[in-house]
Amino acid sequence: MKSLTPLLCLFLAYVAGTYAHVTGDPQAAASKQIKDWQNQYNQYIFKTLANRTSGCTTDKLQFRREWQVIIREDTLFRGSLRPKQRIDYTDAVQCLQKKSNLISNLRVPGARTRFDDVIATHIFQSPYIHFSGIFLHWHRYYTYIYDRLLRTECGYTGPQPYWDWTLSYKDPRESKIFDGSVDSMGSNGVYIPGRNGTFTTAFGRNRTIPAATGGGCVTSGPFLNYTVNLGPANYEPRVGSGNGLDYNPRCLSRDVSLEFANNTKSTDVVALISTNPTLEAFSDFFETRNGLHASGHFTIGGDPGNDGYVSAGDPIFYLHHGQVDRMWTIWQALDPNTRFGTVFGTSTAFNSESLRFQQCTCTVHLEIGCADEV
């Protein structure tokens, strides 16, 4: 069992890129506001750690970098991963996808790789970590553990990247995330015309995700030959027990949605951060039906991207949640004395348990196979 409280020592300095600003453009103004907030957070972290000599010190800072921004070479903190760093990162992900699973097949019959171990952990915990008081806390810990796996088991030494949706909301297919090049996160899926939408049942909230610009297997990039082994859990065709844990090998498919991408603009981010003064309001706003969290997932789409339980099976998931965590980090830094260390609600979807948190701690278990050593 692991307490999330120690993560208060996991200060993450996010490096933002340089954006062009056009007078009178609301998106440009919102982008500038986000950058200013980001700088405020980084200044707070450096000031907080300046005189520390043990524990959380500046030499232990992790810098997360945006995947796709291109900025000047003379900038002190370059805001994006270089092409080689991107390839190093996807090589490490592919390493996890080739290593044998550690979770028992009695527990997860479909697991074949360490990457499957990570996915299964998200499946196990999904009823507790969405629409609940630990949505943000748990996913912060989860992405941290994932980063640790890439480093300790696959030799990755670069920054953990995030996907700034606001840079690609007009058409993600044209971004370095989805362009299918060797240093991307892979392409969109091949376009399949005449499809119906995907009917999903995650968390008891039935909805149909409209068919978008792809729908088939990815066509290029580092995950062209990646086999998705687990799922679906929340749409058909399910296999075996239907809980997403049985063996179901298939390609990675995507269905990039311009409709959902349009919900991830800079103005949407500013609305999230500036209009929700409590953690409960902030978290609830984040998880609204067409909010930034859901829209990021449904922008990726496809299988397993549209599955609320198995979506961690698409490697872009971790860049998306890096950005989710960045938004929470920026929000926390606007009132650090109040907002760091805060929890609310329960550890059940829609906070249905009667037991409420009485103090700023929460405990979870990650069955990744090495979490108890971290």
Side-chain angles (χ1 to χ4, degrees):
M1 304 296 285
K2 291 289 181 179
S3 169
L4 294 185
T5 305
L7 280 186
L8 298 179
C9 291
L10 179 61
F11 290 120
L12 298 167
Y14 285 82
V15 183
T18 299
Y19 307 87
H21 299 297
V22 180
T23 302
D25 179 353
Q27 298 308 324
S31 293
K32 183 178 184 304
Q33 177 63 81
I34 296 166
K35 185 179 178 182
D36 289 344
W37 283 335
Q38 179 69 76
N39 290 336
Q40 178 179 331
Y41 167 75
N42 285 353
Q43 290 170 12
Y44 165 77
I45 292 301
F46 284 114
K47 181 179 179 181
T48 300
L49 302 184
N51 297 318
R52 290 191 183 178
T53 57
S54 63
C56 302
T57 55
T58 54
D59 62 306
K60 296 176 183 175
L61 275 176
Q62 292 186 24
F63 284 87
R64 289 183 175 176
R65 296 181 185 271
E66 215 285 322
W67 185 270
Q68 58 195 321
V69 183
I70 300 175
I71 65 174
R72 298 181 354 236
E73 288 294 326
D74 61 348
T75 303
L76 178 60
F77 292 121
R78 298 181 178 91
S80 67
L81 273 68
R82 292 295 183 258
K84 183 180 184 304
Q85 289 178 312
R86 295 179 190 132
I87 294 171
D88 288 345
Y89 177 80
T90 55
D91 282 351
V93 176
Q94 289 175 304
C95 164
L96 283 184
Q97 293 170 345
K98 294 173 182 176
K99 282 180 170 284
S100 297
N101 56 297
L102 294 183
I103 292 181
S104 168
N105 286 119
L106 294 176
R107 179 75 165 136
V108 185
R112 296 294 184 273
T113 70
R114 289 294 277 141
F115 196 71
D116 291 340
D117 291 345
V118 179
I119 302 165
T121 296
H122 192 268
I123 296 173
F124 287 137
Q125 297 293 331
S126 278
Y128 314 107
I129 59 172
H130 299 97
F131 305 101
S132 74
I134 61 170
F135 162 64
L136 293 164
H137 308 74
W138 190 93
H139 284 87
R140 173 173 288 179
Y141 187 38
Y142 183 62
T143 54
Y144 166 71
I145 294 296
Y146 179 70
D147 176 69
R148 285 290 302 272
L149 288 178
L150 294 177
R151 297 177 190 281
T152 59
E153 299 193 20
C154 290
Y156 182 63
T157 60
Q160 181 69 19
Y162 64 93
W163 164 31
D164 185 348
W165 329 288
T166 70
L167 302 177
S168 55
Y169 76 90
K170 291 182 179 179
D171 192 342
R173 296 171 298 177
E174 297 178 359
S175 73
K176 180 50 69 176
I177 294 282
F178 290 100
D179 71 7
S181 60
V182 67
D183 60 329
S184 71
M185 288 297 292
S187 69
N188 189 18
V190 65
Y191 178 62
I192 301 177
R195 293 174 296 123
N196 294 322
T198 301
F199 179 73
T200 70
T201 59
F203 317 111
R205 289 188 166 187
N206 297 343
R207 69 180 298 178
T208 298
I209 309 303
T213 66
C217 301
V218 298
T219 59
S220 61
F223 305 111
L224 176 63
N225 297 314
Y226 160 50
T227 299
V228 180
N229 293 321
L230 302 179
N234 290 291
Y235 48 74
E236 299 299 338
R238 298 175 176 89
V239 300
S241 64
N243 63 6
L245 298 173
D246 291 290
Y247 186 49
N248 184 26
R250 61 204 187 277
C251 72
L252 172 65
S253 72
R254 289 178 179 154
D255 193 16
V256 173
S257 170
L258 305 187
E259 175 184 347
F260 283 105
N262 194 55
N263 297 333
T264 64
K265 304 180 295 297
S266 293
T267 48
D268 299 306
V269 169
V270 168
L272 167 72
I273 294 173
S274 64
T275 64
N276 296 287
T278 67
L279 179 60
E280 183 170 8
F282 179 81
S283 184
D284 287 351
F285 194 95
F286 223 143
E287 288 203 275
T288 54
R289 186 176 180 86
N290 293 316
L292 286 160
H293 173 243
S295 292
H297 281 300
F298 295 143
T299 294
I300 303 165
D303 176 40
N306 279 337
D307 193 313
Y309 283 36
V310 197
S311 54
D314 189 318
I316 296 181
F317 173 100
Y318 306 93
L319 277 67
H320 168 52
H321 269 278
Q323 170 76 344
V324 169
D325 195 50
R326 177 178 175 237
M327 298 298 96
W328 183 30
T329 298
I330 290 173
W331 178 87
Q332 287 178 303
L334 295 181
D335 186 5
N337 292 332
T338 300
R339 294 179 178 181
F340 281 107
T342 301
V343 297
F344 77 95
T346 75
S347 57
T348 301
F350 309 109
N351 295 302
S352 59
E353 294 178 342
S354 59
L355 177 63
R356 308 289 290 186
F357 289 124
Q358 300 299 316
Q359 52 186 319
C360 293
T361 62
C362 46
T363 302
V364 297
H365 183 51
L366 298 187
E367 299 186 54
I368 295 177
C370 73
D372 288 339
E373 301 170 7
V374 175

